[in-house]
Amino acid sequence: ITVVTWNVGTAMPPNDVTSLLHLNTGETNDVDMIAIGLQEVNSKINKRLKDALFTDQWSELFMDVLSPFHFILVSTVRMQGVILLVFAKYYHLPFLHDIQTDCTRTGLGGYWGNKGGVSVRLSIFGHMVCFLNCHLPAHLEKAEQRKEDFTTILHMQQFEGPVANGILDHDLVFWFGDLNFRIESLDICFVKYAIDSNVLSQLWEKDQLNIAKSTWPVLRGFQEGPLNFPPTFKFDVGTNKYDSSAKKRKPAWTDRILWKIKSPSKELGTGGHRPSQGMLSVSQLCYCSHMEYTVSDHKPVAAIFAVQFASKVDKPLVEIYVADEWSRPEQAVVRYKMAVGFHRSSWDWIGLYRVGFRHPKDYVSYVWARSDDGERCLEKQLYAQVMFSEEALPKGNGEYILGYYSNTSSSIAGVTEPFQISLPRSEEGGSSTDSSGSSSEEDDSTLVLLAPKSRSPSPGKMKRHRSRSPSLAKFQGLILRPSSRDRGTSRSPSPQNRRSLPMSIPTIHLPQEKLGHPGVNSKELGQASEGPEGSSFYQTLQEQGGLRRISADSSLARADPRNLGLLPALRLEMIDQVLGRQRETADQGYYPCPRMSPTSPPGYGTSPEGNSP
């Protein structure tokens, strides 16, 4: 298990994190899981809104880097700028159960999440493990406050289930983050001298966390490897030089990784004897900082652990059987068998994933696991069978994996080994179908990741390309004009339409008979051209008999081109602002004529009385 902690100081992600994750060494082949804790991720309101709609840039970066190494995002949790990500190799997913997350705010007396802790707990091969990422109060004199906050986090975070309800109830706990412990007593000159002279051991006994581990009862049992790397705080951003500002903060090991094995004192064996030691052992193979990253005033810290369990639950809840290759659509048959005690749901589904997928919702296509005799198969331990439709299968050649997604546990309960799909591309739509399977589904899954409790996206979503623009109409308090796509018109206006529009845009009032002219529809509207004075518009319509020009005096010609969908314009207005202008104009004795939209009812806005916004 690799654990990483990094206070990123609101910085943008670097271009490469392979060395931080030890992906450029042979150690990667032996790593089964990776936990990444970040602090001070940019959480300003505009950035937080975008991250709420899409996956944040840091999570995207780590998924992009780790997926080629077959690491899948198991779970993630965020509290403002504190993020925790847990990855595992895809073939371990069926053995990761009871995945839960929690977070505790400790900033501003518990009302603000700039400080606090986030956690992911799960059962790994039948053993309960908890990852806890914390950002504790800063400054040398706040050691007691750090103690109180950590105690609060341990007390507040509770999980559901029959076992391991509290953090310290887990068999193994990894505690890491920007813990903000400082070096006491020694002045800054001596600290820098010890660092430059590489005699770091002279600083260990004055480290607040080392002192606390032997004096604070709440830290009893927590272990940490030797601090054989220089203090990781505070650096001038963009350099490896310690703080040169007027504050000249003393260097300190603020970024730490600790672990704790559950004490066996309460677990008495038969006859009241304590069970044999060695049921669970943890060895730290690496504990280091990475000086090559300079985007923050903190240096990231990484540790690699070898965890030895006494036993291992190695039978998946769902076993999936599939042919070695699908070369014809009729071969896309999936047989699966559910273990006794598996909590089947009618919302379970089987996903088809490309090798190198990023998270459980990053599928190419899926089929509902709704076999007609599913309950009978579960009860009598028989094989159930489903089949992928030809339209859902990706065209071309590639390696894929099948995974059974359990809606009850929100995790993958069974996977297959990689197998080959070799389906011919159709002459007409083969390329578009394949691109839809390779790019659209992979991109769209990133949005699904934001709702891990969702059962599954609608099958219709698989045919649409993902738009990077969210559906802003979901936000209350915004008035949206229909986009050109909604009205079916071209999104590429002609060059002459790029000229500026008159300051006073006329309001459109089109009679129903003109809007519904026979032989004309919205998709057949051409491009509007502007007169030399910029005040008259001409509209060309295509009919069965040819072209017809509308005079400048007609209401259609005077219409706002943006209302007709000829220009890709989006106007956002707060409701309070609109109502405020209406009240002002009403007080002045006249009423503004509201703009008409294609969905406005007939007669709307003709009388100021009786109109409600």
Side-chain angles (χ1 to χ4, degrees):
I1 299 178
T2 296
V3 179
V4 175
T5 178
W6 192 4
N7 184 321
V8 300
T10 71
M12 295 288 290
N15 295 326
D16 186 21
V17 290
T18 53
S19 63
L20 172 61
L21 300 173
H22 294 252
L23 298 178
N24 51 0
T25 66
E27 299 167 335
T28 309
N29 297 329
D30 299 326
V31 173
D32 299 289
M33 298 185 68
I34 298 178
I36 302 170
L38 305 176
Q39 307 86 37
E40 292 193 19
V41 175
N42 190 344
S43 57
K44 293 182 179 179
I45 183 63
N46 58 336
K47 189 69 171 64
R48 193 70 182 92
L49 177 61
K50 181 180 178 182
D51 291 346
L53 297 169
F54 309 106
T55 310
D56 67 275
Q57 292 173 304
W58 285 94
S59 299
E60 287 278 1
L61 170 68
F62 287 114
M63 284 190 290
D64 289 342
V65 171
L66 288 171
S67 59
F69 295 89
H70 306 301
F71 283 101
I72 312 303
L73 181 65
V74 175
S75 183
T76 179
V77 57
R78 177 171 185 175
M79 180 185 67
Q80 287 184 215
V82 184
I83 298 179
L84 176 58
L85 304 144
V86 176
F87 294 84
K89 291 286 182 67
Y90 78 89
Y91 44 79
H92 292 317
L93 296 179
F95 311 104
L96 307 180
H97 304 148
D98 197 11
I99 303 170
Q100 299 181 43
T101 64
D102 202 355
C103 60
T104 303
R105 302 178 181 88
T106 59
L108 294 180
Y111 289 97
W112 196 242
N114 63 322
K115 296 292 191 294
V118 297
S119 62
V120 171
R121 84 84 171 263
L122 69 167
S123 170
I124 303 176
F125 293 103
H127 302 270
M128 302 307 297
V129 179
C130 182
F131 297 94
L132 176 61
N133 173 29
C134 290
H135 192 190
L136 300 182
H139 305 304
L140 177 68
E141 65 278 6
K142 294 293 183 66
E144 283 298 319
Q145 185 64 48
R146 288 187 277 274
K147 174 184 176 182
E148 293 178 9
D149 283 11
F150 182 55
T151 304
T152 299
I153 293 170
L154 295 180
H155 174 73
M156 294 292 293
Q157 298 207 5
Q158 297 292 316
F159 303 97
E160 299 176 356
V163 296
N165 301 116
I167 290 178
L168 298 183
D169 296 331
H170 289 74
D171 298 321
L172 176 60
V173 177
F174 289 101
W175 176 38
F176 50 97
D178 180 5
L179 307 184
N180 259 321
F181 288 98
R182 307 304 171 97
I183 297 176
E184 291 185 344
S185 306
L186 305 177
D187 61 40
I188 186 173
C189 294
F190 182 82
V191 172
K192 288 187 174 181
Y193 166 78
I195 296 171
D196 294 338
S197 304
N198 198 25
V199 286
L200 302 176
S201 58
Q202 297 187 21
L203 308 178
W204 293 348
E205 62 181 16
K206 297 298 182 181
D207 175 76
Q208 287 181 331
L209 183 54
N210 285 338
I211 297 173
K213 282 187 290 186
S214 58
T215 57
W216 292 1
V218 71
L219 295 182
R220 187 176 295 118
F222 278 95
Q223 304 177 59
E224 184 183 20
L227 299 170
N228 289 327
F229 51 89
T232 56
F233 175 84
K234 174 182 175 137
F235 290 87
D236 292 337
V237 175
T239 72
N240 288 327
K241 182 180 180 181
Y242 285 105
D243 186 17
S244 61
S245 67
K247 294 183 178 180
K248 293 193 181 302
R249 292 182 179 88
K250 189 193 307 183
W253 285 289
T254 57
D255 310 279
R256 312 288 278 270
I257 301 173
L258 297 88
W259 74 95
K260 180 179 181 178
I261 301 174
K262 183 179 179 181
S263 173
S265 57
K266 297 180 182 180
E267 301 175 359
L268 299 181
T270 58
H273 299 290
R274 181 175 300 179
S276 60
Q277 297 294 327
M279 291 183 61
L280 174 62
S281 65
V282 177
S283 302
Q284 191 176 61
L285 307 179
C286 171
Y287 192 27
C288 61
S289 64
H290 287 265
M291 300 290 289
E292 65 270 26
Y293 295 98
T294 61
V295 298
S296 170
D297 56 353
H298 289 252
K299 299 299 181 184
V301 175
I304 301 177
F305 299 92
V307 181
Q308 182 72 37
F309 295 123
S311 61
K312 186 174 74 170
V313 178
D314 55 1
K315 185 175 181 180
L317 294 176
V318 178
E319 297 180 76
I320 308 176
Y321 301 90
V322 67
D324 292 336
E325 182 179 3
W326 291 354
S327 56
R328 301 187 308 275
E330 56 268 24
Q331 292 178 316
V333 177
V334 182
R335 300 173 67 235
Y336 60 95
K337 181 179 179 181
M338 295 166 284
V340 176
F342 175 67
H343 297 288
R344 177 180 174 272
S345 167
S346 59
W347 293 105
D348 293 351
W349 45 273
I350 297 175
L352 178 65
Y353 302 92
R354 291 184 183 274
V355 171
F357 67 103
R358 298 158 23 124
H359 51 79
K361 301 292 180 72
D362 188 14
Y363 52 77
V364 174
S365 63
Y366 70 91
V367 61
W368 294 108
R370 292 176 179 171
S371 176
D372 296 335
D373 54 352
E375 290 298 334
R376 186 174 67 89
C377 293
L378 176 59
E379 180 181 351
K380 297 187 176 183
Q381 289 296 285
L382 302 176
Y383 291 96
Q385 179 174 303
V386 294
M387 184 173 182
F388 281 85
S389 65
E390 182 176 358
E391 295 77 13
L393 296 176
K395 304 304 184 290
N397 300 325
E399 278 196 316
Y400 294 84
I401 293 171
L402 287 172
Y404 185 105
Y405 186 87
S406 169
N407 182 68
T408 304
S409 62
S410 298
S411 61
I412 290 181
V415 296
T416 66
E417 292 293 329
F419 66 97
Q420 191 77 17
I421 293 183
S422 304
L423 296 177
R425 301 176 188 270
S426 61
E427 294 181 0
E428 296 181 1
S431 60
S432 62
T433 304
D434 183 67
S435 63
S436 170
S438 61
S439 61
S440 176
E441 270 67 26
E442 291 184 58
D443 286 347
D444 199 42
S445 64
T446 305
L447 295 179
V448 180
L449 172 65
L450 299 174
K453 293 298 182 183
S454 62
R455 296 183 178 118
S456 175
S458 165
K461 288 187 178 180
M462 295 192 299
K463 299 299 180 184
R464 291 205 308 262
H465 285 278
R466 169 190 171 186
S467 170
R468 295 296 296 182
S469 301
S471 178
L472 294 176
K474 295 179 181 179
F475 290 92
Q476 297 181 356
L478 290 180
I479 296 179
L480 297 187
R481 283 187 165 181
S483 65
S484 57
R485 175 179 295 181
D486 297 333
R487 292 184 292 269
T489 54
S490 171
R491 292 177 63 91
S492 303
S494 59
Q496 55 264 37
N497 283 338
R498 298 181 183 275
R499 283 184 268 177
S500 60
L501 296 174
M503 295 300 295
S504 177
I505 300 177
T507 302
I508 176 172
H509 297 278
L510 296 183
Q512 293 298 322
E513 59 270 20
K514 289 190 178 181
L515 287 174
H517 194 279
V520 181
N521 58 45
S522 60
K523 293 184 178 180
E524 294 173 333
L525 292 179
Q527 304 295 339
S529 61
E530 185 178 296
E533 293 80 21
S535 60
S536 63
F537 298 91
Y538 291 90
Q539 175 67 43
T540 302
L541 301 180
Q542 183 175 359
E543 297 185 72
Q544 294 91 338
L547 299 176
R548 178 171 63 89
R549 171 160 293 189
I550 299 176
S551 66
D553 298 331
S554 69
S555 59
L556 183 60
R558 293 194 303 272
D560 177 6
R562 288 173 291 189
N563 284 337
L564 295 177
L566 302 178
L567 294 178
L570 175 66
R571 179 174 179 177
L572 306 180
E573 294 181 350
M574 299 305 297
I575 287 181
D576 292 341
Q577 297 175 353
V578 177
L579 295 181
R581 288 197 296 271
Q582 290 181 352
R583 294 190 190 100
E584 292 176 3
T585 54
D587 293 341
Q588 295 173 6
Y590 65 91
Y591 292 88
C593 206
R595 298 189 183 278
M596 296 290 290
S597 70
T599 58
S600 299
Y604 173 77
T606 56
S607 173
E609 291 80 19
N611 271 347
S612 60

